Amino acid sequence: MSSTIHLPLIDMSGVREGDKASIRRAADAIRTACCDIGFFYIINHGVPQAVIDRAMSAAGEFFAYPAEIKRQVAVNKRHRGWHALGGATMYEATKPDHKEFFSIGLELAEDDPSVLAGEALRGPNQWPQYMPSLREALSDYYQEIARAGADLLRVVAVGLGIDEDFFTDKYTKPLQRTQMVYYPPQPPQAEADQFGVAPHTDYGCITLLYQDNSGGLQVRELGSNRWIDATPIPGSLVVNVGDLLARWSNDRFRSTLHRVINTSGHERYSIATFYDLTYGATVDPCDLGIDPALSLYPPVAAGDYILKRIDDSMAYRKKQA
Ligand code: OGA
Ligand code: NI
C-alpha cells in the first residue's frame, strides 16, 4: 500500500558553486526537514549519473558471484569487505537482516599513522582481484558522494546559523563508510518480522542513499505508527540524519526509524553512504549553538560513538563465547 505523504524534496543546484541565494533556500528547507522528519530527497546533488550507474552495475555484477568467491573478500575487523546474508541484526530485531553488503572506507595504507596507531576501522579496503572494475567504480562513487556530503553539511551549518565551514575541519580524515547493499527478493508471505533491513536509526552523522527503482524503503512518521514510502525518484539521493548528528544538534534534528522490505519480486540494490567524520573529532552540542546550560549531551569522540554502535549490530564483531 503506498502512502500519500511525501518526504521533502530539496534542490541542491547552485550550492557547490557557492550561490548565496541557493544556499539560503536549501539551508532553510533542510533545516525544516531535519527538524520535522529527519529524511528528505536531494536532487541536482552533483554526483554524476554515469558514476552512479557504473557503481550500481558493479554492484549487480559483484553480488552475482557465488558465495565461495565473495568470501575471498569476507569482511574484516576494519569493516571492509563482503557481509554474507544474516550477518547484521538491528537493535531490538528478532531476525537478522535479509541482505548482503560490501563495505569500503577511506583507503589508508598500512603505514598510515592512524593505522599504525591502531585506530579502529582504519586501513586499506579489501578489493576482489577477480573484479578490478569494482574498485574503479566504487572508488569514484566514494569520492563523488563525499563531495555531495560536504555540500550538504555546508548547507546544514548555514541552516543552524553557524559558520558555513564549521564541519570542514571535522572531516579531514573521514570515517565515511560506503556500502553496496543487495536485497534478495522476499516472498510477500514472508514472516512479519523478516526485513531486508529491520527498523533502525543510522548511527552516524548523515546518510546519503542511492536506491534503485524497486521501492521498499519506508520511514516512520513521527507521532503516528505510519510507515511512509520513500518512493524512488530518478536522479535523487535519499538523505537522513543519523543519531550522532541528532545528538550534536541537541535533539533539534531527528534521527528517524526506517526499514526496507523488498517485496518487488526481484533483486533490490542500493548504495548507502554513512558520511562520518574524523575519528577524534569532538561532537559537542555547544559547538552547534547550544547554550552549555541547555546541552543534553556531554562531548563525545565521533569514532568512539560509531564504533560502539557497529560493534552492537554486527555478528562478526561479537566475541565468540
Ligand atoms: C542502511 C539503510 C536502506 C537501503 O543501510 O542503514 O537504511 O535502502 N539502507 O538500503
Ligand atoms: Ni539505515
Side-chain angles (χ1 to χ4, degrees):
M1 221 186 323
S2 81
S3 58
T4 49
I5 318 249
H6 298 291
L7 301 173
L9 185 130
I10 293 160
D11 187 347
M12 295 290 283
S13 49
V15 168
R16 190 166 297 172
E17 296 73 23
D19 178 64
K20 292 279 177 236
S22 304
I23 292 176
R24 183 76 257 164
R25 184 178 30 75
D28 291 340
I30 286 181
R31 186 196 164 98
T32 303
C34 289
C35 295
D36 285 352
I37 180 134
F39 258 88
F40 52 94
Y41 299 91
I42 54 173
I43 53 168
N44 299 317
H45 43 65
V47 183
Q49 191 61 43
V51 170
I52 296 174
D53 291 345
R54 274 208 299 144
M56 289 296 278
S57 83
E61 194 182 326
F62 174 77
F63 289 114
Y65 279 99
E68 315 85 82
I69 304 287
K70 288 185 278 195
R71 204 167 292 124
Q72 291 175 19
V73 288
V75 64
N76 61 19
K77 277 281 174 198
R78 293 155 167 175
H79 201 61
R80 316 297 173 98
W82 176 67
H83 302 56
L85 208 64
T89 306
M90 296 297 114
Y91 179 69
E92 289 188 337
T94 50
K95 289 194 167 73
D97 290 343
H98 199 59
K99 69 176 186 213
E100 296 179 17
F101 59 105
F102 179 82
S103 189
I104 67 167
L106 187 65
E107 186 80 62
L108 294 180
E110 295 288 0
D111 63 356
D112 180 278
S114 301
V115 181
L116 290 176
E119 208 170 275
L121 308 172
R122 297 303 205 181
N125 288 312
Q126 288 208 87
W127 298 109
Q129 285 183 353
Y130 49 85
M131 195 187 152
S133 57
L134 179 64
R135 178 178 194 151
E136 288 159 29
L138 205 53
S139 301
D140 282 355
Y141 184 89
Y142 189 89
Q143 286 186 4
E144 290 292 343
I145 202 79
R147 296 182 73 193
D151 290 345
L152 261 175
L153 288 183
R154 187 168 330 116
V155 169
V156 165
V158 170
L160 287 169
I162 57 175
D163 185 77
E164 183 171 327
D165 293 321
F166 171 81
F167 291 102
T168 310
D169 69 358
K170 311 278 190 253
Y171 275 80
T172 47
K173 212 166 185 179
L175 274 174
Q176 175 187 345
R177 296 168 317 289
T178 290
Q179 50 200 44
M180 318 185 299
V181 198
Y182 161 55
Y183 301 89
Q186 270 184 250
Q189 71 278 18
E191 292 165 64
D193 59 349
Q194 181 62 73
F195 298 97
V197 183
H200 68 283
T201 55
D202 291 349
Y203 327 137
C205 202
I206 200 151
T207 306
L208 296 91
L209 177 90
Y210 184 81
Q211 57 173 337
D212 71 10
N213 62 9
S214 303
L217 173 63
Q218 297 182 316
V219 177
R220 169 92 134 215
E221 192 186 32
L222 295 161
S224 80
N225 289 331
R226 274 191 304 184
W227 289 94
I228 302 171
D229 289 324
T231 308
I233 298 180
S236 74
L237 296 168
V238 178
V239 177
N240 64 287
V241 172
D243 296 341
L244 196 56
L245 183 58
R247 175 188 173 116
W248 211 347
S249 77
N250 214 36
D251 289 345
R252 287 172 290 173
F253 288 1
R254 311 261 180 192
S255 176
T256 303
L257 279 173
H258 53 286
R259 66 184 190 184
V260 173
I261 311 171
N262 179 20
T263 50
S264 64
H266 49 79
E267 291 78 13
R268 177 181 189 272
Y269 300 94
S270 65
I271 307 177
T273 295
F274 307 105
Y275 186 60
D276 284 333
L277 43 171
T278 303
Y279 197 102
T282 303
V283 171
D284 182 352
C286 299
D287 295 335
L288 294 201
I290 292 296
D291 180 333
L294 301 176
S295 175
L296 300 169
Y297 302 104
V300 67
D304 291 345
Y305 181 90
I306 292 161
L307 184 65
K308 172 155 191 346
R309 297 295 301 274
I310 293 178
D311 282 347
D312 287 347
S313 61
M314 298 290 155
Y316 82 88
R317 303 184 75 84
K318 301 249 179 345
K319 295 216 168 57
Q320 299 299 314

